[in-house]
């Protein structure tokens, strides 16, 4: 039986952190590098690798592994603490879609996220979602999200089936970058407007299907 793979973005697609991620990041920048002001940094759809690179350049410190680890360690500690305040939520329809897909015998569920592995695990674990996914592709090493899609295809061919093609994969996300990433491997691109991008922007990016939220997932 041919596998059908569903790869979900995290922020703005499965859940929203209610600003916990942003507060953790700005807190870490203040603590580690004394940087007070971070307005104008775009986070949506980007990889942690790219975001951290930008932040370190703002802090005028080298962008090598040592500074990255220093910033990320502080960020992860703060992220746990911020999430504990209970400000975030799993987005509408997520549990239902995951339940339905889990009941499809040929379905493989994973995350494809700009978050690094540790940040992704903190968020998924906090909301009790981590057990739902057997595959993960994370933004620790790549500047561009399209490279995550190529990694995903490699992982899937090793773990699911050597003949797996992009056409067997559906990538669900909330930004034009998620759509672009799906199209890069000829996967199906499902976009949700729960992350702040308008439906028109997601259609213009090439999404095959745009939903107001995951309660509209087709039967
Ligand atoms: Mg997102």
């Amino acid at each position: 039986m041919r596998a059908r793979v569903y790869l979900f973005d995290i922020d703005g697609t499965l859940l929203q952190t209610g600003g916990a991620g942003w507060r953790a990041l700005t807190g870490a920048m203040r603590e580690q590098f004394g940087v007070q002001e971070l307005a104008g940094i775009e986070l949506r759809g980007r990889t942690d690798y790219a975001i951290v690179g930008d932040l370190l350049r703002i802090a005028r410190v080298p962008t090598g592994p040592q500074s990255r680890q220093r910033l990320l360690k502080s960020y992860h500690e703060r992220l746990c603490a911020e999430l504990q305040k209970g400000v975030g939520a799993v987005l509408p329809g997520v549990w239902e879609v995951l339940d339905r897909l889990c009941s499809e015998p040929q379905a493989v569920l994973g995350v494809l996220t700009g978050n690094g592995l540790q940040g992704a695990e903190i968020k998924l674990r906090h909301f009790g979602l981590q057990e739902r996914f057997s595959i993960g592709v994370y933004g620790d090493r790549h500047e561009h999200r399209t490279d995550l899609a190529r990694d995903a295809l490699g992982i899937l061919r090793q773990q699911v089936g050597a003949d797996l093609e992009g056409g067997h994969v559906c990538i669900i996300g909330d930004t034009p970058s998620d759509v672009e990433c799906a199209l890069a491997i000829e996967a199906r691109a499902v976009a949700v407007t729960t992350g702040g991008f308008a439906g028109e922007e997601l259609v213009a990016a090439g999404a095959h299907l745009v939903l107001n939220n995951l309660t509209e997932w087709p039967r």
Side-chain angles (χ1 to χ4, degrees), residues 9-13 44-45 145 173-175 178:
D9 166 59
I10 294 181
D11 296 285
T13 302
R44 296 177 303 173
R145 203 175 184 99
D174 67 307
T175 72
D178 295 82

Side-chain angles (χ1 to χ4, degrees), residues 168-187:
H168 307 127
V169 180
C170 174
I171 293 181
I172 305 101
D174 67 307
T175 72
S177 304
D178 295 82
V179 173
E180 189 189 335
C181 151
L183 300 182
I185 57 163
E186 298 179 352

Side-chain angles (χ1 to χ4, degrees), residues 117-186:
L117 169 63
Q118 216 178 328
E121 283 185 347
I122 290 169
K123 290 177 186 176
L124 293 176
R125 203 177 306 126
H126 177 78
F127 292 102
L129 284 161
Q130 80 283 3
E131 309 266 297
R132 297 302 188 109
F133 303 103
S134 58
I135 297 235
V137 188
Y138 307 96
D140 294 291
R141 291 182 298 122
H142 292 303
E143 190 89 25
H144 299 292
R145 203 175 184 99
T146 47
D147 291 325
L148 300 187
R150 296 191 186 97
D151 279 5
L153 212 46
I155 292 169
L156 289 166
R157 283 177 180 156
Q158 275 181 356
Q159 296 189 13
V160 179
D163 59 347
L164 198 114
E165 299 291 341
H168 307 127
V169 180
C170 174
I171 293 181
I172 305 101
D174 67 307
T175 72
S177 304
D178 295 82
V179 173
E180 189 189 335
C181 151
L183 300 182
I185 57 163
E186 298 179 352

